[in-house]
Amino acid sequence: MNYKNSRIFILIVITLVITMFFSCTKNASSDSFRDRQTYEAQEKQQKRIIIGYEKYDKALMFSNLLGGEVVLHIPELKVLSIEVEDTAEKVIQRAMENDDFSKYNIRYIEPVQNRYLEPECEDVPGLKSVKDLKDLKVNISEFVYNSYENYTGESLDLYLWNHRVVGIKDAWDNGYNGEGIVIAVLDTGVDGTNPDLEGQVTIGYRPKYDEILPEETDSSYGGSHGTHVAGIIAAKKDGVGIVGVAPRSKIMPIVIFEANGAYVGDDYTARGIVWAVEHGAKVLSNSWGGYGYSQVLKDAFDYALNSGVTVVVAAGNSTASQTFQYPANYPGIIQVGAAEFNGGNVRTANFSSGSPMITLSAPGRNILSTMPQYGSKGYTGDSFKINENGGYYGFMSGTSMATPYVAGLVALILQKYPTAKPWQVRKILEKSAKDIDFVGIDDRSGYGLAQAKALDETLPITGGSNFVVNISDHYGLWKIPGVYVSLVGTSDDGRFVRYFSKTNKDGQAKFLGIDEGTYDIFVGGPDSFESSRGLSKECYRVQEERYYSFAKKIRNEDESLDVHFNSMAFVTFDSTSYKPKRIVFQNVTKPATDSEAFIYVDFSSLTSYDFSKLSGKYNIFAQIDQPATNDITLSGKVILNGFEIPISGTITKGELETQLKDKIGKWWTVFGND
Ligand code: CA
């Protein structure tokens, strides 16, 4: 890249960075602290539950059982969202205790989690009018101002440092401008009436209200953020204002932050994702995130990846190295950090979150873009109007601004390679990235700074895999849901990476479009139905859970690994304890009316019983033949996979049986054995 007078924006950017550096950092950290507190509070009070079902009619019965009212159905993902009277936490807990999940073929149940727009760093709060802009220019020597090279041909070109460092004109000059590509912006909505976005906004969707948004309208319900993001992608190349990365692409607004920026929830967002995919979006731009793995979001993004849709997600603005924010850390997506222009160099901004899974950085500090017009829904006042077109503009900073830049680049790539798979798109972005920060791949900028040179790359034939881990019991009959699976190792590009997924109802942990490489695969379970933030667990015991690891080379586009869990399980009684006549294993996944749900074992001549062959979730009862004349206390242990877990139970006077339980658990999860 060559621009005659780079001093001009070196000066500008140095000024901006130096003056605003501290306020940005401060805002970002206090925001995330506040977010966390709000998050905890909101989740506790949340009264909506997401139910992944297998059979719709049974899910409705299950919903009734919980006293819920169905508010949303996503048939593509087999998901219901219901509103409950009590808090989600309590309702899930109650359902857990009765094991209603299994009886109603429920795949998973999870609370609706909260997520946030990446808190923006207001780097240039003073620039709210044309006069401010002029003042900024006056601060730079007249000579430098007058001789700057007009890179993009737009009237606000002076401030478009982002395009320069990416070298975007090379792509445009070769005819790549995003023509024919629709990019869904999952955000606050977009003011399509901004003159620089006129004709750029296609139909959109408000999942919360199941409302289709006409093209070219104002949908900035949740504020200015989405309009800014949209301009970075697709502002018009008309000589006025600014221009986006992909000026001939179309923006599809998906409103997932409604009034006051309130997140609609993972359930409605999942519906928005499915809608976008079904209505022709080829790229999803996601400048938002939050704590906690969500199955419904994972399934929705997998739905997109499976449909060949590329997913671009902001890394976050919390500075720290993070691997627990979602959607940033789902496998197969492009995770983007924010770069700044600093002292003549481009480097990843201090606020930008790091991660071993960062794909690359893109310009994300002091980014000028479109803002909602005066009188629009999202007008916030922190913008300025230019006379040439009457449009409103403003500066913002954050990985929120870097993400749409990459989404726009993806549109250019898809214009050139319309059938490119998401992993192929990611690979050429990685390959063409300019090394910044630490030499080589690093956790701040991943492969480096995004470059328009990506368009010069040919699509790789190898390097991506749709890897699936199938987890079942010893007999291959019970596909185990909710099992954690991590891949940790070295990609074929030599990068240390880690991917995380959980098994779905078919016992499959999907890693769609990940890098081929050599990995240690860690499988732990079962923890079925455990929510990402530990709201509830199927198995409260931890130490005896099954845990396996494998070393594996992943070398094919479609590859899988079958993992069979097994168990060693004994029940025995203390020498001082009363011994029962009989012990009974009740398979809690079958109705109590089903005679096959019970297995009776004559214990009269035994001291211990090996139930390793059983697979499933079992309650254990102790029985006697005559009603107890006094309370009879039994004590012993279950030895599960070598761990001794004390159990006890009391047959009260007049009764014939008691359940044998440990301190915290109710049933025992076993997987069978030879
Ligand atoms: Ca323009």
Side-chain angles (χ1 to χ4, degrees):
M1 187 186 53
N2 175 30
Y3 33 97
K4 283 181 209 149
N5 199 332
S6 55
R7 271 188 298 164
I8 174 72
F9 66 80
I10 293 173
L11 271 174
I12 296 171
V13 177
I14 287 175
T15 312
L16 302 183
V17 166
I18 289 173
T19 48
M20 298 316 303
F21 182 81
F22 293 104
S23 65
C24 170
T25 308
K26 188 164 163 273
N27 286 345
S29 61
S30 62
D31 272 359
S32 55
F33 177 67
R34 196 186 59 224
D35 286 353
R36 221 169 8 246
Q37 289 189 317
T38 317
Y39 183 99
E40 307 266 349
Q42 283 174 334
E43 190 174 86
K44 282 215 166 80
Q45 285 158 25
Q46 185 58 254
K47 296 195 170 180
R48 222 157 72 234
I49 294 174
I50 299 165
I51 299 169
Y53 64 81
E54 210 147 342
K55 295 195 175 87
Y56 180 65
D57 53 343
K58 280 199 168 183
L60 290 179
M61 289 160 66
F62 182 63
S63 166
N64 283 335
L65 186 82
L66 301 184
E69 192 185 330
V70 176
V71 292
L72 171 65
H73 181 209
I74 315 173
E76 293 88 348
L77 304 180
K78 290 192 165 185
V79 158
L80 280 184
S81 178
I82 65 168
E83 215 159 71
V84 288
E85 293 280 317
D86 216 336
T87 63
E89 186 175 10
K90 285 183 185 160
V91 173
I92 292 174
Q93 203 67 51
R94 270 205 303 275
M96 292 293 317
E97 280 159 14
N98 296 316
D99 193 47
D100 295 321
F101 303 103
S102 311
K103 288 175 201 156
Y104 291 91
N105 298 100
I106 299 307
R107 298 184 290 126
Y108 66 87
I109 177 166
E110 63 184 12
V112 172
Q113 310 205 55
N114 212 351
R115 307 202 188 260
Y116 301 88
L117 294 164
E118 293 305 336
E120 90 187 55
C121 307
E122 294 271 5
D123 275 308
V124 200
L127 292 181
K128 288 180 183 170
S129 68
V130 179
K131 185 181 166 301
D132 289 334
L133 276 178
K134 281 181 180 150
D135 289 346
L136 182 68
K137 287 177 187 171
V138 170
N139 286 337
I140 303 159
S141 85
E142 198 69 19
F143 168 77
V144 175
Y145 172 64
N146 286 334
S147 58
Y148 83 91
E149 182 193 8
N150 190 339
Y151 185 74
T152 63
E154 300 296 298
S155 62
L156 294 172
D157 174 80
L158 174 61
Y159 309 98
L160 301 178
W161 71 273
N162 49 352
H163 291 321
R164 288 169 164 87
V165 299
V166 171
I168 199 66
K169 242 168 79 168
D170 297 345
W172 294 342
D173 290 348
N174 286 317
Y176 301 117
N177 47 29
E179 182 80 50
I181 307 297
V182 174
I183 301 169
V185 171
L186 288 96
D187 211 291
T188 59
V190 176
D191 179 10
T193 70
N194 183 302
D196 232 350
L197 291 173
E198 266 174 22
Q200 308 297 84
V201 179
T202 181
I203 56 162
Y205 188 55
R206 281 176 93 187
K208 175 96 193 220
Y209 302 100
D210 191 21
E211 178 189 339
I212 293 174
L213 302 162
E215 58 189 20
E216 296 187 45
T217 51
D218 168 29
S219 63
S220 56
Y221 292 95
S224 59
H225 193 270
T227 305
H228 199 270
V229 164
I232 292 168
I233 297 171
K236 273 193 298 195
K237 196 170 191 316
D238 58 356
V240 179
I242 64 150
V243 58
V245 192
R248 302 282 295 192
S249 67
K250 297 275 189 210
I251 298 294
M252 174 188 280
I254 306 290
V255 186
I256 63 164
F257 293 89
E258 287 282 349
N260 304 314
Y263 180 56
V264 297
D266 292 344
D267 46 357
Y268 287 110
T269 298
R271 169 151 83 178
I273 292 166
V274 170
W275 192 92
V277 170
E278 289 305 304
H279 289 79
K282 292 295 174 213
V283 192
L284 307 179
S285 185
N286 299 277
S287 293
W288 53 279
Y291 302 104
Y293 186 97
S294 152
Q295 190 65 48
V296 75
L297 281 186
K298 170 70 161 56
D299 287 351
F301 283 119
D302 276 355
Y303 183 83
L305 292 168
N306 251 330
S307 310
V309 173
T310 302
V311 180
V312 188
V313 181
N317 301 339
S318 61
T319 304
S321 185
Q322 54 82 28
T323 53
F324 44 80
Q325 291 239 10
Y326 293 94
N329 285 289
Y330 287 123
I333 58 106
I334 295 172
Q335 186 182 153
V336 184
E340 66 185 12
F341 199 76
N342 184 299
N345 292 310
V346 177
R347 67 175 193 192
T348 300
N350 195 47
F351 61 77
S352 185
S353 301
S355 158
M357 300 316 298
I358 287 258
T359 308
L360 77 180
S361 274
R365 183 170 217 150
N366 301 319
I367 302 300
L368 177 65
S369 186
T370 45
M371 294 288 272
Q373 295 293 103
Y374 179 75
S376 69
K377 298 177 181 73
Y379 177 75
T380 45
D382 51 352
S383 54
F384 57 86
K385 180 182 169 185
I386 63 169
N387 291 329
E388 298 99 304
N389 63 1
Y392 283 76
Y393 297 86
F395 285 89
M396 285 192 191
S397 295
T399 51
S400 281
M401 282 64 244
T403 298
Y405 204 99
V406 172
L409 272 179
V410 172
L412 307 190
I413 293 168
L414 291 174
Q415 181 189 0
K416 181 172 182 182
Y417 301 114
T419 59
K421 294 167 185 168
W423 69 262
Q424 291 176 307
V425 171
R426 189 181 66 244
K427 283 281 164 205
I428 62 177
L429 283 169
E430 289 171 352
K431 196 173 174 203
S432 58
K434 181 180 172 185
D435 195 5
I436 58 169
D437 301 328
F438 302 100
V439 174
I441 303 163
D442 61 72
D443 285 5
R444 304 288 304 150
S445 65
Y447 284 75
L449 179 70
Q451 294 291 295
K453 271 196 312 176
L455 274 303
D456 301 335
E457 301 285 343
T458 51
L459 283 188
I461 298 160
T462 60
S465 179
N466 299 316
F467 180 61
V468 178
V469 181
N470 298 300
I471 299 176
S472 65
D473 68 353
H474 181 68
Y475 312 108
L477 296 173
W478 179 24
K479 319 288 184 193
I480 305 166
V483 180
Y484 295 142
V485 183
S486 295
L487 270 56
V488 180
T490 310
S491 75
D492 282 353
D493 294 339
R495 183 178 197 188
F496 174 77
V497 292
R498 38 66 77 216
Y499 298 102
F500 175 74
S501 179
K502 284 164 85 172
T503 54
N504 63 14
K505 58 117 184 178
D506 298 318
Q508 295 185 318
K510 292 185 180 178
F511 299 85
L512 303 182
I514 62 163
D515 286 357
E516 291 182 357
T518 304
Y519 300 105
D520 288 324
I521 300 171
F522 299 96
V523 175
D527 272 355
S528 313
F529 312 119
E530 185 205 18
S531 88
S532 50
R533 300 192 71 245
L535 257 188
S536 51
K537 279 188 171 185
E538 176 184 10
C539 179
Y540 293 93
R541 311 168 196 93
V542 175
Q543 59 188 6
E544 80 289 359
E545 281 175 6
R546 304 319 276 151
Y547 186 75
Y548 301 81
S549 67
F550 307 85
K552 185 169 172 62
K553 286 185 171 153
I554 299 175
R555 287 288 179 278
N556 295 302
E557 186 158 10
D558 287 297
E559 202 160 323
S560 63
L561 172 74
D562 292 338
V563 177
H564 294 280
F565 280 6
N566 60 33
S567 300
M568 297 283 284
F570 302 87
V571 57
T572 181
F573 291 89
D574 298 339
S575 55
T576 52
S577 171
Y578 186 88
K579 279 194 185 54
K581 260 278 189 281
R582 185 176 312 106
I583 51 177
V584 183
F585 294 90
Q586 180 199 7
N587 185 336
V588 298
T589 63
K590 292 182 176 170
T593 49
D594 184 343
S595 61
E596 287 183 10
F598 295 92
I599 295 159
Y600 297 88
V601 176
D602 183 350
F603 203 79
S604 49
S605 61
L606 299 176
T607 52
S608 93
Y609 181 72
D610 177 353
F611 62 104
S612 303
K613 283 194 187 314
L614 294 184
S615 174
K617 291 185 285 177
Y618 288 90
N619 288 329
I620 306 176
F621 296 91
Q623 289 186 343
I624 52 177
D625 281 341
Q626 301 294 327
T629 49
N630 286 301
D631 287 0
I632 301 173
T633 300
L634 298 93
S635 63
K637 48 189 169 269
V638 164
I639 304 165
L640 190 53
N641 307 321
F643 289 94
E644 297 191 358
I645 301 156
I647 52 167
S648 64
T650 300
I651 303 172
T652 50
K653 189 180 169 185
E655 297 295 325
L656 288 165
E657 69 171 24
T658 181
Q659 186 170 1
L660 298 166
K661 294 193 269 192
D662 70 351
K663 278 184 188 159
I664 40 178
K666 202 168 171 188
W667 60 78
W668 306 83
T669 309
V670 284
F671 306 106
N673 214 321
D674 289 328

